[in-house]
């Protein structure tokens, strides 16, 4: 693991976004497309702002939503679908595909199976995710099952 220490949140966001963008550009040059995972949270504000202003051809990007609350409506301010729609999807011309998790699905197990099957078909080039104050990554708070190989689970 490489650890980078920055003097400011802005510097960290610029650096993280630049590394991710370079990896996306390399995938585009090699395969003509790239697959990314986008997370939410305060740690992602600056990173996503830099990403959406970049010169990436988003029409060649397949994006996946990392996590979502079950039962939370899209209209709720804490909805991760809302966060990504407002901060990313609305700010770029068009993605090749953008898979959002429907936390309001009537059958949450079927929704998990749907997004798991889609992501399994797309080897990920970059995951933009932050680390929470207590060390968690996404909803993998302490006590998470780190033995699972399922791409999406109900936590």
């Amino acid at each position: 693991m490489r650890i980078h220490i920055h003097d400011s949140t802005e510097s960290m966001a610029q650096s993280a976004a630049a590394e991710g963008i370079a990896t996306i550009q390399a995938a585009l040059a090699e395969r003509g497309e790239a697959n990314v995972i986008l997370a939410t949270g305060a740690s992602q504000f600056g990173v996503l702002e830099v990403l959406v202003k970049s010169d990436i051809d988003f029409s060649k990007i397949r994006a996946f939503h990392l996590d979502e609350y079950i039962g939370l409506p899209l209209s709720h301010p804490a909805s991760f679908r809302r966060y990504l729609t407002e901060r990313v999807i609305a700010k770029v011309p068009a993605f090749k595909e953008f898979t959002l998790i429907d936390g309001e699905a009537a059958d949450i197990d079927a929704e998990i199976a749907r997004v798991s099957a889609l992501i399994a078909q797309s080897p990920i080039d970059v995951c933009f995710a932050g680390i929470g104050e207590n060390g968690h990554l996404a909803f993998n708070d302490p006590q998470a099952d780190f033995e699972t190989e399922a791409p999406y689970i109900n936590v």
Side-chain angles (χ1 to χ4, degrees), residues 53-67:
K53 291 178 181 175
S54 72
D55 63 353
I56 291 173
D57 182 353
F58 286 93
S59 71
K60 296 178 181 179
I61 306 295
R62 186 177 294 107
F64 295 90
H65 172 185
L66 182 66
D67 47 23

Side-chain angles (χ1 to χ4, degrees), residues 89-100:
I89 297 170
K91 294 185 178 186
V92 300
F95 282 88
K96 179 175 184 170
E97 293 175 37
F98 200 117
T99 300
L100 292 170

Side-chain angles (χ1 to χ4, degrees), residues 24-44:
I24 290 169
Q25 296 288 26
L28 291 174
E30 182 181 321
R31 297 191 328 273
E33 68 177 20
N35 303 307
V36 302
I37 297 174
L38 299 177
T40 57
S43 67
Q44 298 304 295

Side-chain angles (χ1 to χ4, degrees), residues 1-109:
M1 178 186 320
R2 291 178 297 147
I3 298 173
H4 300 264
I5 299 172
H6 295 272
D7 293 333
S8 69
T9 302
E10 294 78 20
S11 172
M12 181 270 318
Q14 288 283 340
S15 178
E19 284 199 41
I21 290 166
T23 303
I24 290 169
Q25 296 288 26
L28 291 174
E30 182 181 321
R31 297 191 328 273
E33 68 177 20
N35 303 307
V36 302
I37 297 174
L38 299 177
T40 57
S43 67
Q44 298 304 295
F45 291 164
V47 174
L48 294 176
E49 187 175 315
V50 173
L51 181 66
V52 299
K53 291 178 181 175
S54 72
D55 63 353
I56 291 173
D57 182 353
F58 286 93
S59 71
K60 296 178 181 179
I61 306 295
R62 186 177 294 107
F64 295 90
H65 172 185
L66 182 66
D67 47 23
E68 182 60 279
Y69 291 109
I70 294 175
L72 198 66
L74 179 61
S75 60
H76 193 283
S79 165
F80 295 153
R81 288 174 291 161
R82 178 178 175 169
Y83 174 112
L84 289 172
T85 298
E86 291 173 354
R87 293 180 185 270
V88 179
I89 297 170
K91 294 185 178 186
V92 300
F95 282 88
K96 179 175 184 170
E97 293 175 37
F98 200 117
T99 300
L100 292 170
I101 304 165
D102 181 2
E104 297 177 273
D107 183 344
I108 202 63
D109 291 331

